[in-house]
């Protein structure tokens, strides 16, 4: 409630439909470290398959293959989490203590890489609009012209270049069409899943260079290895810090709401759907090839996104007052503090999980600041050690914090040059290069 008026639950800027992945993209997405997340939010075609039984004419009966439903974001659940976020501590405050999503959650749930360059600050290339229109219309001459929005290309314009819009799988696409559709897909993935923002109709032009680099490469060495995982967590923290202070109706939660909702599903029995956890998750649950490419295995979030989700009469979704009461009355024994145990992983995923879920584990306990564009955020691991099964010291360590003016860095209403941003952000970008060695060395178990 604000000023005597009830505010609506936060909205998300997430996709209404999921895009399909072309088989020719798999290697490039894998080289960039984006394949596990791409599989997590992959769209599927409506398919008909033969049934073993025969119809009256003696022909195999045709059945519609089960389609994976688009992941449904629960705005009430997300708003309840935002209510408990405190920018001063960068943690959720619950009756039983503090908790927060960490780089470990990003690795296990989304399978995004942590190793690599920090992503910031970003800059749109001069003449991006004319250059982008030229290369896309060269591949698809029948496409409409690009909008002249200075923020970036519109999602509606990019949707022309979905592979299904170009006729796939009935039509064989040219190499140029495959490249440009991949560039459009990566921009969609950035703008609608990883780094959502309040520009509802467009994606930031500053992402175009990264998307084009990945789409045009033919060799893994030509792709800059980027820490997409730390950038997603930084954007999500910034979204939480902004969201808990918003006062207007129809306010939006930006960043990566997918990470927050999967994080909640793994840890709390509130708003969580019923899925067939008892049935081991196999590669048949994943859209795409049955013979996995490098890194083309599920993440811990796959079971929530790819399996059929059901809500029984005793479980609710989209009910903000009920969730508020449940969080206030939840006991710490009902919290799953460490959801990524070996037993859980092997029982849920006997075929294995993506190597990116554990490859960068040496980053999980870093003290380095998180960077995304001009956003700088910090993890309060010293306040949530219990999530790692480690000793939680009763006294909070006296550690240097990000200066308030740095935490307020924003593109909104600013006209700083790239040179100014480089000077401001570079110390934190450089700090990230030492992230694997600048860590919390707590080894004592939680008591």
């Amino acid at each position: 409630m604000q000023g005597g008026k009830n505010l609506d639950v936060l909205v998300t800027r997430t996709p209404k439909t999921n895009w399909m992945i072309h088989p020719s993209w798999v290697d490039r997405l894998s080289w960039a470290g984006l394949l596990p997340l791409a599989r997590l939010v992959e769209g599927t075609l409506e398919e008909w398959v033969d049934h073993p039984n025969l119809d009256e004419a003696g022909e195999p009966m045709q059945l519609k293959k089960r389609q994976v439903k688009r992941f449904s974001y629960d705005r009430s659940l997300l708003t309840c989490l935002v209510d408990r976020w405190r920018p001063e501590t960068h943690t959720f405050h619950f009756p039983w203590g503090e908790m927060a999503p960490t780089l470990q959650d990003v690795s296990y749930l989304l399978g995004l890489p942590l190793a690599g360059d920090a992503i910031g600050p970003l800059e749109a290339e001069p003449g991006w609009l004319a250059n982008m229109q030229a290369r896309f219309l060269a591949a698809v001459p029948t496409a409409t012209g690009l909008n002249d929005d200075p923020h970036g290309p519109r999602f509606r314009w990019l949707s022309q270049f979905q592979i299904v819009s170009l006729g796939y799988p009935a039509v064989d696409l040219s190499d140029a069409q495959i490249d440009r559709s991949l560039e459009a897909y990566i921009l969609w993935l950035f703008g609608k899943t990883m780094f959502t923002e309040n520009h509802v109709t467009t994606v930031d032009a500053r992402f175009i260079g990264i998307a084009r680099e990945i789409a045009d490469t033919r060799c893994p060495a030509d792709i800059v290895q980027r820490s997409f995982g730390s950038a997603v967590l930084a954007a999500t923290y910034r979204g939480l810090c902004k969201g808990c202070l918003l006062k207007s109706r129809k306010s939006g939660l930006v960043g990566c709401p997918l990470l927050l909702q999967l994080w909640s599903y793994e840890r709390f029995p509130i708003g969580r759907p019923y899925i067939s956890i008892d049935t081991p998750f196999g590669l048949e649950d994943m859209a795409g090839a049955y013979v996995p490419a490098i890194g083309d295995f599920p993440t811990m979030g796959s079971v929530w996104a790819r399996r059929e989700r059901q809500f029984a009469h005793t479980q609710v979704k989209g009910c903000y007052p009920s969730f508020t009461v449940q969080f206030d009355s939840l006991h710490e024994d009902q919290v799953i503090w460490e959801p990524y145990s070996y037993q859980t992983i092997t029982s849920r995923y006997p075929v294995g999980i993506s190597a990116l879920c554990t490859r960068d584990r040496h980053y999980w306990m870093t003290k380095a600041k998180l960077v995304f564009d001009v956003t700088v955020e910090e993890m309060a691991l010293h306040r949530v050690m219990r999530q790692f099964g480690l000793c939680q010291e009763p006294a909070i360590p006296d550690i240097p914090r990000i200066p308030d003016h740095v935490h307020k860095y924003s593109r909104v209403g600013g006209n700083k040059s790239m040179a100014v941003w480089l000077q401001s952000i570079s110390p934190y970008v450089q700090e990230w290069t030492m992230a694997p060695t600048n860590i919390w060395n707590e080894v004592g178990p939680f008591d």
Side-chain angles (χ1 to χ4, degrees):
M1 179 173 291
Q2 179 69 31
K5 296 181 180 180
N6 288 324
L7 297 179
D8 296 328
V9 295
L10 296 171
V11 300
T12 62
R13 313 305 185 186
T14 47
K16 292 182 172 60
T17 58
N18 284 351
W19 288 23
M20 284 186 60
I21 295 176
H22 194 281
S24 297
W25 298 352
V26 170
D27 283 343
R28 281 171 277 184
L29 290 172
S30 179
W31 297 338
L34 296 173
L35 184 58
L37 177 61
R39 290 297 193 202
L40 194 67
V41 297
E42 182 178 7
T44 55
L45 277 177
E46 184 178 274
E47 294 184 65
W48 291 84
V49 295
D50 290 341
H51 190 275
N53 295 336
L54 303 180
D55 60 19
E56 295 179 355
E59 298 293 330
M61 296 176 63
Q62 292 284 299
L63 293 178
K64 186 181 291 186
K65 186 177 180 180
R66 180 181 67 83
Q67 284 186 279
V68 177
K69 293 183 178 179
R70 180 181 65 87
F71 187 78
S72 178
Y73 291 86
D74 194 328
R75 297 184 295 146
S76 295
L77 178 61
L78 294 171
T79 303
C80 279
L81 290 174
V82 173
D83 287 345
R84 288 155 178 79
W85 183 261
R86 295 295 176 267
E88 303 87 352
T89 62
H90 275 72
T91 58
F92 295 115
H93 286 224
F94 297 107
W96 58 84
E98 297 176 61
M99 300 181 72
T102 68
L103 292 176
Q104 183 192 50
D105 298 298
V106 175
S107 292
Y108 272 117
L109 295 174
L110 305 183
L112 288 172
L114 306 180
D117 294 348
I119 302 177
L122 297 172
E123 184 178 27
E125 64 178 22
W128 67 265
L129 192 152
N131 293 337
M132 188 174 197
Q133 177 163 268
R135 65 177 177 273
F136 272 78
L137 294 186
V140 186
T142 57
T144 61
L146 181 59
N147 55 278
D148 58 356
D149 192 312
H151 181 259
R154 292 177 182 167
F155 290 110
R156 180 177 295 181
W157 183 82
L158 291 172
S159 67
Q160 300 176 98
F161 306 99
Q162 292 186 66
I163 57 174
V164 292
S165 299
L166 299 178
Y168 178 85
V171 177
D172 290 331
L173 305 183
S174 67
D175 289 344
Q177 290 174 329
I178 290 173
D179 292 349
R180 299 287 66 81
S181 59
L182 175 55
E183 181 179 346
Y185 169 79
I186 294 172
L187 290 173
W188 170 85
L189 188 66
F190 287 164
K192 286 295 185 180
T193 301
M194 296 170 64
F195 309 112
T196 67
E197 54 184 0
N198 282 319
H199 285 273
V200 182
T201 59
T202 59
V203 61
D204 198 321
R206 296 182 180 91
F207 291 130
I208 294 174
I210 300 176
R212 184 181 181 184
E213 174 191 303
I214 298 170
D216 289 346
T217 190
R218 295 295 184 270
C219 173
D222 294 334
I223 294 181
V224 175
Q225 295 303 303
R226 296 178 174 89
S227 180
F228 286 113
S230 65
V232 161
L233 190 58
T236 303
Y237 277 6
R238 177 55 56 93
L240 287 166
C241 290
K242 293 171 60 177
C244 67
L245 299 174
L246 294 174
K247 301 178 181 179
S248 62
R249 298 177 66 88
K250 299 294 184 182
S251 295
L253 174 62
V254 298
C256 185
L258 176 64
L259 171 63
L260 290 181
Q261 191 156 327
L262 293 177
W263 180 82
S264 180
Y265 282 175
E266 286 288 350
R267 295 177 184 275
F268 310 123
I270 298 174
R272 183 167 60 193
Y274 291 101
I275 57 175
S276 53
I277 287 286
D278 294 335
T279 304
F281 190 97
L283 293 180
E284 67 276 5
D285 290 286
M286 303 289 286
Y290 286 85
V291 179
I294 297 174
D296 199 1
F297 277 90
T299 69
M300 289 296 282
S302 298
V303 74
W304 303 107
R306 310 303 300 180
R307 281 277 173 86
E308 191 74 24
R309 298 172 294 277
Q310 298 178 347
F311 293 85
H313 68 279
T314 56
Q315 182 62 291
V316 296
K317 66 175 180 177
C319 186
Y320 176 76
S322 175
F323 290 159
T324 299
V325 173
Q326 291 181 59
F327 272 115
D328 287 343
S329 60
L330 193 68
H331 191 270
E332 64 177 301
D333 292 341
Q334 298 172 281
V335 176
I336 303 176
W337 291 93
E338 299 175 69
Y340 314 122
S341 66
Y342 175 79
Q343 292 77 10
T344 299
I345 296 172
T346 54
S347 62
R348 190 186 297 183
Y349 301 98
V351 297
I353 59 176
S354 170
L356 281 173
C357 291
T358 55
R359 188 198 70 179
D360 298 334
R361 60 164 61 91
H362 49 295
Y363 282 82
W364 293 348
M365 301 301 293
T366 186
K367 295 180 181 179
K369 308 301 184 289
L370 307 173
V371 176
F372 167 61
D373 190 24
V374 300
T375 295
V376 182
E377 300 285 337
E378 59 186 337
M379 293 185 297
L381 297 183
H382 54 289
R383 307 179 78 102
V384 296
M385 285 290 183
R386 187 175 180 181
Q387 292 179 201
F388 298 89
L390 299 174
C391 179
Q392 182 71 59
E393 295 292 343
I396 301 298
D398 184 16
I399 59 173
R401 294 188 57 196
I402 296 177
D404 288 342
H405 73 278
V406 174
H407 189 236
K408 293 179 181 178
Y409 282 164
S410 173
R411 294 278 189 181
V412 178
N415 57 357
K416 294 182 180 179
S417 67
M418 187 60 176
V420 173
W421 282 125
L422 282 171
Q423 183 178 4
S424 303
I425 305 299
S426 289
Y428 303 101
V429 172
Q430 183 62 31
E431 182 184 11
W432 183 255
T433 63
M434 304 299 294
T437 56
N438 181 22
I439 62 174
W440 294 96
N441 291 307
E442 179 60 56
V443 295
F446 174 79
D447 184 352

